[in-house]
Each structure stands twice: as structure tokens, then as C-alpha cells.
Amino acid sequence: MSSEPVRVYLGIGSNIDPATHVPKALLALESEFGAVSRSSLYQTRSLGFEGPDFINLAVSFSTTCDFLQLDERLKNIEVDCGRNRSLETGKGSRTLDLDLLLYGELQGELHGHVLPRPEIYERQFVWQPLLEIFEASQQLSGYELELKNRLAQIAKTASLLPPINWTG
């Protein structure tokens, strides 16, 4: 455990029974970590394979878990929502995908993860919900504010996805 709480941001996606898995994941995150800030939900097409549309969102919370503990807890939540990594071959449909986007201000490669996750700047279903959380936050670190400004620049040239009214 870390002595000081660290703010983390996750991307969440599901295209296999998202009405079950997304709410289950949100409840598990709240149970495990306490208060969770979340973006709106967005429906997006599968990227890189043929499959049902995804429901995507971003969440943020504080934790005293170190990086490896957090990674293990997130994988356990994925498994509890039916994910079986041993059956996966590359890109494909998912019951649940919890992607660690940011862990505090860590930058670079850590235990096989690149932080901040490069998709933050490349994939709209990642950057738009993350920007939404940044914009709703009353307290951003200098690092988070820098990321928010960078994402806002990307948003200026994009056609924004509409949030969906989905109660899942």
C-alpha cells in the first residue's frame, strides 16, 4: 500500500452484455476504492475487428494501492465480470475491459504498462470521456491540467460523440 492516496483514471469498455458488466464493474470499483467519478456513457463501434458496439466511459478515484496491487485488483474485477484472458487472441469482444490510463503523475513504462496510456491522445472513446472527467473536476494537479488542456485542443478539431441515455 502507498501511504499517500494516488488519483487514478480508467477507461472502461464492454461489448458483451454491457448492461450487466458495466454496472457490475462500477459497483465493484466503488466497493473496492470508495467514491468514483465517472463520465457519461458513449456507444462506439468495435475498432480493429467485427463485433457489437462497445459501451465506453472513463472513471477516476483515489487509492492507496501501489501500482501492482491496483493492477491485480482491476484484473480481478475483470475476471468477476466474466473476462477470460487465456481465451483471448488479440483484439476482440470483451465482457469488460478496465484500462489504466493514468496512475498519479507516473510517466513511462512500468511493469509492461505505458503511462499515460497512448490511447489517451489517439482514440476518441478514451480521450472524450477522460476530458469530461477533467472538466468536471474542481481540483486538478498541474499534470492533470496540462493533460486536460492537451485533450481540449484535440476536441476542438473533432466531431464529438454524443453521450447515450443508457441506464444499463
Side-chain angles (χ1 to χ4, degrees):
M1 292 279 187
S2 163
S3 58
E4 289 293 317
V6 175
R7 193 84 185 149
V8 298
Y9 295 83
L10 307 178
I12 299 178
S14 174
N15 74 336
I16 297 175
D17 193 11
T20 298
H21 297 114
V22 170
K24 185 175 180 180
L26 291 170
L27 286 172
L29 290 168
E30 289 172 353
S31 174
E32 187 80 30
F33 303 107
V36 174
S37 299
R38 57 168 273 195
S39 72
S40 300
L41 298 162
Y42 297 89
Q43 184 172 350
T44 58
R45 294 192 184 279
S46 298
L47 184 63
F49 67 96
E50 290 294 322
D53 288 353
F54 275 83
I55 299 298
N56 296 101
L57 71 151
V59 299
S60 177
F61 54 88
S62 293
T63 182
T64 55
C65 291
D66 66 31
F67 184 86
L68 288 175
Q69 291 169 327
L70 176 63
D71 188 50
E72 185 64 30
R73 289 182 180 182
L74 296 177
K75 286 179 180 168
N76 288 339
I77 292 170
E78 288 178 332
V79 168
D80 289 345
C81 288
R83 184 158 184 186
N84 186 343
R85 290 179 184 272
S86 66
L87 300 177
E88 295 174 5
T89 56
K91 295 182 180 189
S93 292
R94 302 274 190 265
T95 57
L96 184 68
D97 201 7
L98 298 177
D99 292 329
L100 184 57
L101 305 175
L102 300 167
Y103 180 88
E105 297 189 8
L106 279 180
Q107 297 179 52
E109 188 171 343
L110 185 64
H111 304 289
H113 296 271
V114 176
L115 296 170
R117 195 168 173 112
E119 290 90 343
I120 286 175
Y121 307 111
E122 300 164 357
R123 298 194 176 142
Q124 188 168 0
F125 63 84
V126 177
W127 64 255
Q128 187 173 334
L130 182 58
L131 178 58
E132 184 181 327
I133 289 179
F134 283 153
E135 289 175 337
S137 179
Q138 300 299 311
Q139 293 184 309
L140 294 176
S141 70
Y143 179 67
E144 291 166 323
L145 189 56
E146 179 183 318
L147 289 172
K148 173 188 168 189
N149 291 337
R150 190 166 170 191
L151 296 178
Q153 288 300 314
I154 295 169
K156 284 182 180 180
T157 61
S159 177
L160 297 180
L161 299 169
I164 61 169
N165 293 322
W166 180 77
T167 55

